[in-house]
Amino acid sequence: MKNFNIIIGLFLFLQFSVGTEILDDYYQSAEGLYGEELQIALYEIINDHNSQSNSSLWIHFQSTDKKSNGKVWDMYSDIPDGTPPYEFTFVTDQCGNYSQEGDCYNREHSWPSSWFNNNYPMKTDLFHLYPTDGYVNNRRANYPFGEVGTSTWMSENGSKVGNCSYQNCEGTVFEPIDEYKGDFARTYFYMSTRYFGEDSGWDENQMVDGAELKPLAVNLLMVWHESDPVSEKELNRNEAVFEIQGNRNPYIDHPEYVDRVWRAATINVVSLVNWNMVGLPLAVDDPSYQTIFPSSVGGTLYSYNSAYIPETELIQGNGYWLRFQEAGSVQITGVETDQLHILLTEGWNMISGISSAINVSNIIDPEDLILPNSIYGFETNYYSVNSIEPGKGYWVRSDGTGEIIITVPASRE
C-alpha cells in the first residue's frame, strides 16, 4: 500500500507539473504585460473559439454544470454547504413552461443577450451561459448585476432583485448570493476580454459600454472577485468548456490577471543627481532596484533600521536611499496599491506611500505614533511635507512601535 501511495502521489505531481507547463505555454504571449496590452494579448489567445449551436447547450450543460450527485448545478437555486430548496434533473426538468420557482431550468445569459443583440458567437459562449431556474432567470431579466439595498423580490436561495445600494449605482439590479459572486465577476472579465473590439452595436448602460466594463462595474466586480476566490467548481468548469470551445477563461487560470488588467498603472518618478529618497509605488514582477531604476548607481540602495542596510530589492511601504549619476526620470508600470500597513519602530523610520498622492493628514495613526511635524522628504535638502507622493521615500519619526495605514480616503474610492 505504501508503494501504491507513492506511485499515486508521483502521478498527481507529474499531472500538475504537465498541466502547469501547458498553461504557461498557453499564456506565454501575455507574460510581463499590464493593462490594455495584457487584455489585448489575452484576447488574441482566447478569440475565435469554436462557436456552438443554441440547441447543443442543453447537452453541454451535462458536462459543464453537473453536481457530484448528478443534478444540475444552478447558481440561482443552489445553497453551497446546505440543502437547496429544490434540484433539477438533466433533460427531465428542461424548460418548457414555468409559473414558479422549481418548475424547470433554462439557459441563462449572465451577460444579457439583449446587450449584444442576440448575436453569435456571444449567444452560445458557454463561459457566460449557465443552467438556471427558468422563473428566477425571468425575474433577473436583463438587469445589471449589483448589490441590492431594498429588495422587491428574493429567490429561495437568497438571490435578489431590487434597488442598487452600491456607490454611484442607480436603478434595479440583480444580486446573486455571495458564494457565486466571484464566478459571475470572472465571467464578466472574460466577456470584456473575449469580445474586446468586437462590440459594435452592443448596448450601453451603467455597467457596460459595449464590451467595456465601466468604472462602477470594475469596482463592484473586483470586490466580488476578491471576496469569492476561484473555486474547484470553476476550475472544473473551465476545463470542461475548454474541451468544447477550445478556449479558456484567463481569470480562472490566473486570477491575478484581474488586477494586472484593471488596476494597472504607469507612474513617472523623477530623480535628481546624487542621492534620492525613493519608494516602490506599484506592485511589480521584478522589484530589483536595477530593474525599477536602471540608471541608478550599482550597490547604492539602502534601507534604514537603526542603521543603514544595503538592499537589492524594494518593498512597498519602505523608503530607501538610492544614488544617481545624473538627473532623470523613469516610468514604473505595475498594479496599483491603494492601501499599505506600515510598521514603525521608535525613532526615525524610512517609509514610502501608495500609488497616489496622499495628504499626511489622511494617514491613519490609531496609536498617535507619528510625532507632530516629523515627516520629511529630500531633494538636495530636507523639507517638511504635506503630501506623500508615489515613488518617493520619507523620514517619519515615531513615538513608539506600532502600525500606521496609508490608504486612499473613502471619499476618493
Side-chain angles (χ1 to χ4, degrees), residues 157-170:
N157 87 327
S159 299
K160 307 172 189 175
V161 175
N163 293 325
C164 190
S165 62
Y166 193 74
Q167 185 177 10
N168 299 321
C169 179
E170 299 176 348

Side-chain angles (χ1 to χ4, degrees), residues 96-261:
N97 297 318
Y98 52 82
S99 60
Q100 61 185 359
E101 267 195 78
D103 281 351
C104 60
Y105 71 95
N106 63 8
R107 297 161 294 196
E108 158 71 319
H109 295 81
S110 61
W111 186 295
S113 58
S114 63
W115 292 7
F116 51 76
N117 302 313
N118 291 296
N119 287 330
Y120 291 83
M122 299 75 72
K123 187 177 177 66
T124 57
D125 190 331
L126 280 159
F127 276 117
H128 85 110
L129 274 152
Y130 299 97
T132 64
D133 181 284
Y135 185 80
V136 181
N137 187 355
N138 179 263
R139 296 304 299 259
R140 187 265 163 116
N142 65 349
Y143 294 132
F145 284 129
E147 293 187 350
V148 172
T150 302
S151 62
T152 56
W153 180 84
M154 183 181 297
S155 74
E156 293 188 46
N157 87 327
S159 299
K160 307 172 189 175
V161 175
N163 293 325
C164 190
S165 62
Y166 193 74
Q167 185 177 10
N168 299 321
C169 179
E170 299 176 348
T172 302
V173 295
F174 179 84
E175 180 179 357
I177 61 173
D178 291 346
E179 291 85 349
Y180 293 123
K181 286 178 175 175
D183 302 57
F184 289 116
R186 287 176 283 276
T187 293
Y188 270 51
F189 292 132
Y190 164 86
M191 289 292 287
S192 185
T193 299
R194 167 59 186 87
Y195 298 102
F196 184 92
E198 296 185 15
D199 56 354
S200 178
W202 285 30
D203 189 38
E204 179 183 1
N205 54 56
Q206 71 171 345
M207 195 169 199
V208 300
D209 182 2
E212 181 182 354
L213 298 172
K214 289 186 174 180
L216 183 153
V218 171
N219 293 337
L220 171 70
L221 296 174
M222 290 285 281
V223 172
W224 287 11
H225 163 69
E226 291 166 358
S227 62
D228 175 32
V230 173
S231 63
E232 184 179 359
K233 171 191 184 300
E234 286 180 272
L235 293 171
N236 292 337
R237 192 176 198 277
N238 197 20
E239 296 298 334
V241 176
F242 177 57
E243 289 297 319
I244 298 165
Q245 293 191 172
N247 69 340
R248 308 180 66 85
N249 184 336
Y251 305 103
I252 294 175
D253 289 326
H254 286 280
E256 73 277 10
Y257 283 171
V258 174
D259 276 341
R260 293 174 73 98
V261 170

